[in-house]
Amino acid sequence: MFPPASYEYPKTRYFAEYLNFESTENLFDVLDNQSKIIQSLYQNLSPDKWAYAYAPEKWTLQQLLGHLVDTERILSYRTLCISRGEQQSLPGFDENTYLENAHYENQNPDLILQQYQLTRQATTALFQSFSPEQWNTMGTANGNSVSVRAISWMIAGHEKHHLGIMKERYSM
């Protein structure tokens, strides 16, 4: 699945940053490679590394993984709704409020990693079920017109963004 055209998403900073992929890249390959990287990075973390934040008031690696899970679930749900013809605008979400209420810092790290893996499997299976028409379906999310394809690539772009942060600021 190729990246979306510029008319398929709003001209916001996040979409422009997150959808920065080469036209030859394949979504399924990108998601699979990212999943392998995340699993490799997190599988052997020591307990103190799970709790590491690069600065005060920043997320720990454990919270960051939980954030990836929450965001993928929300974006995947949006693709499901829009692909099925939902006409209502889907709500936005405040990532900090979600994280605060998730209490990932108190959860078993291995179970968060398992949630990540299962969420990615479910996302990939959903995406594999889409017809060409469904990939092109436009809907409204967070007040913006957006295609199923663009939201799907946002999952990859969001993770790409956080993998960069993990490398730069968490020394991973």
Side-chain angles (χ1 to χ4, degrees), residues 1-4 18-27 30 153 160:
M1 177 51 52
F2 55 89
Y18 290 177
L19 296 179
N20 185 19
F21 288 93
E22 297 295 323
S23 62
T24 57
E25 290 186 88
N26 178 289
L27 177 62
V30 171
W153 276 94
K160 179 179 173 181

Side-chain angles (χ1 to χ4, degrees), residues 4-20:
S6 62
Y7 67 84
E8 294 181 67
Y9 55 89
K11 306 305 179 262
T12 65
R13 180 177 69 90
Y14 288 110
F15 272 91
E17 176 187 349
Y18 290 177
L19 296 179
N20 185 19

